Amino acid sequence: MTRYKTLRYLFFALLLVSVTACEKEPIPTYIHIPYITVKSAAGVGSTSSNISNAWVYINGQVQGVYELPATFPVLASGETEIGIYAGIKLNGISNTRAPYPFYNQDIVTLDLEAGATDTIYPEVSYVGAAEYALLEDFELSNAFSQLERTSAAGEVFEGIFSAKVVLDTASITRVVSSERFSIPRGTTAAFVELDYKSNQAFTAGINAYQDGQGLGIEKVVVNPQSEWNKIYFNFTPEVNNLQADEYEVVFSIDTSNVSGTVNVLFDNIKLIYFQ
């Protein structure tokens, strides 16, 4: 009998500890972010974007990185500051993700209630410190060789005009910016961003020049996309390694082994950097 009572007391003691522990577990609030948009502003060109993930901070502390749309728990209640950076795929590669340095942080303050779900719609904008060496939306101009403006149905991304590649008679067509641009050595960020639609792979890159002499081409392979796609190319390491004084934006299409029609379209090409 004594042993039975001891076991019974032990059982109730363990049950009490378990109940107490459950009562102490905090109840999270859930945050839902369906998407992040880019606000329009003068002098920054198109606000087209391809924001794939959110980098979230709660009261200044790292919360996590979430694929959009996202729903995630937050162990906070009451007035809470939520900071969101817009994340992208560097060079269009899924496993190389980072907050885009040219978008600012959006900060939202919410009165969080345990167990509830709050939906927020972050808006970011281009940071004021960004410098634009090139802004080409093809509405009034064309800053590239081997491109022609087009307003044909199915060939325009936004506005009235986009641009399409005019193929060379040679097997490789090179689309080059008509001007060269300076980017300071030691810049913390230098990117080319653009919208494109293509049934053929191409390369995107920069030509570097020092005292008028070419230093070579740095390039990234871009896969075909049947629908318009936004992509962000990170050329920061190349710019800082090359130490050149001028750059061109260049795209190359190799048609030597292609049969059928080649259709490569561009819009909203930007060369953007920090001074």
Side-chain angles (χ1 to χ4, degrees), residues 172-263:
I172 297 179
T173 297
R174 297 179 71 252
V175 177
V176 183
S177 57
S178 54
E179 295 183 18
R180 296 177 184 175
F181 310 100
S182 296
I183 303 175
R185 300 171 184 178
T187 181
T188 55
F191 277 69
V192 172
E193 61 172 85
L194 59 95
D195 296 288
Y196 74 96
K197 178 181 177 182
S198 174
N199 65 355
Q200 171 66 26
F202 63 92
T203 61
I206 52 173
N207 286 343
Y209 294 87
Q210 179 67 40
D211 298 326
Q213 300 298 311
L215 299 180
I217 301 174
E218 300 293 336
K219 57 189 178 182
V220 177
V221 176
V222 183
N223 293 321
Q225 290 283 343
S226 59
E227 301 295 333
W228 284 96
N229 184 49
K230 181 81 170 187
I231 193 166
Y232 305 81
F233 301 107
N234 179 20
F235 291 117
T236 311
E238 289 77 14
V239 167
N240 287 327
N241 289 335
L242 289 169
Q243 296 287 295
D245 51 26
E246 290 183 313
Y247 298 89
E248 294 171 336
V249 178
V250 57
F251 307 102
S252 296
I253 301 99
D254 185 351
T255 58
S256 58
N257 296 313
V258 175
S259 60
T261 303
V262 174
N263 192 24

Side-chain angles (χ1 to χ4, degrees), residues 157-173:
F157 172 65
E158 63 182 10
I160 299 175
F161 290 95
S162 292
K164 63 181 179 181
V165 173
V166 178
L167 295 175
D168 203 332
T169 54
S171 60
I172 297 179
T173 297

Side-chain angles (χ1 to χ4, degrees), residues 13-183:
L14 290 173
L15 181 62
L16 180 61
V17 170
S18 176
V19 170
T20 303
C22 289
E23 290 177 349
K24 290 183 178 180
E25 288 183 3
I27 301 173
T29 299
Y30 290 89
I31 303 295
H32 178 63
I33 303 177
Y35 51 80
I36 299 174
T37 57
V38 181
K39 292 186 288 187
S40 179
V44 303
S46 171
T47 56
S48 68
S49 64
N50 189 4
I51 298 168
S52 58
N53 48 87
W55 296 60
V56 180
Y57 291 73
I58 302 298
N59 292 325
Q61 301 299 312
V62 176
Q63 165 73 17
V65 181
Y66 303 98
E67 294 298 304
L68 297 176
T71 302
F72 52 90
V74 174
L75 294 177
S77 61
E79 187 171 290
T80 303
E81 182 183 275
I82 304 169
I84 304 101
Y85 285 102
I88 61 165
K89 302 173 186 177
L90 295 175
N91 304 323
I93 301 171
S94 295
N95 62 355
T96 57
R97 306 191 176 207
Y100 192 43
F102 298 104
Y103 293 151
N104 64 4
Q105 184 186 39
D106 190 17
I107 297 177
V108 179
T109 300
L110 295 177
D111 187 7
L112 299 184
E113 180 182 345
T117 298
D118 289 294
T119 299
I120 58 177
Y121 301 90
E123 289 187 326
V124 298
S125 58
Y126 284 90
V127 297
E131 298 283 346
Y132 304 89
L134 173 66
L135 284 175
E136 182 56 89
D137 61 10
F138 303 103
E139 294 301 312
L140 300 174
S141 60
N142 178 9
F144 288 85
S145 68
Q146 296 302 121
L147 287 184
E148 65 179 19
R149 296 163 70 219
T150 177
S151 59
E155 294 186 342
V156 177
F157 172 65
E158 63 182 10
I160 299 175
F161 290 95
S162 292
K164 63 181 179 181
V165 173
V166 178
L167 295 175
D168 203 332
T169 54
S171 60
I172 297 179
T173 297
R174 297 179 71 252
V175 177
V176 183
S177 57
S178 54
E179 295 183 18
R180 296 177 184 175
F181 310 100
S182 296
I183 303 175

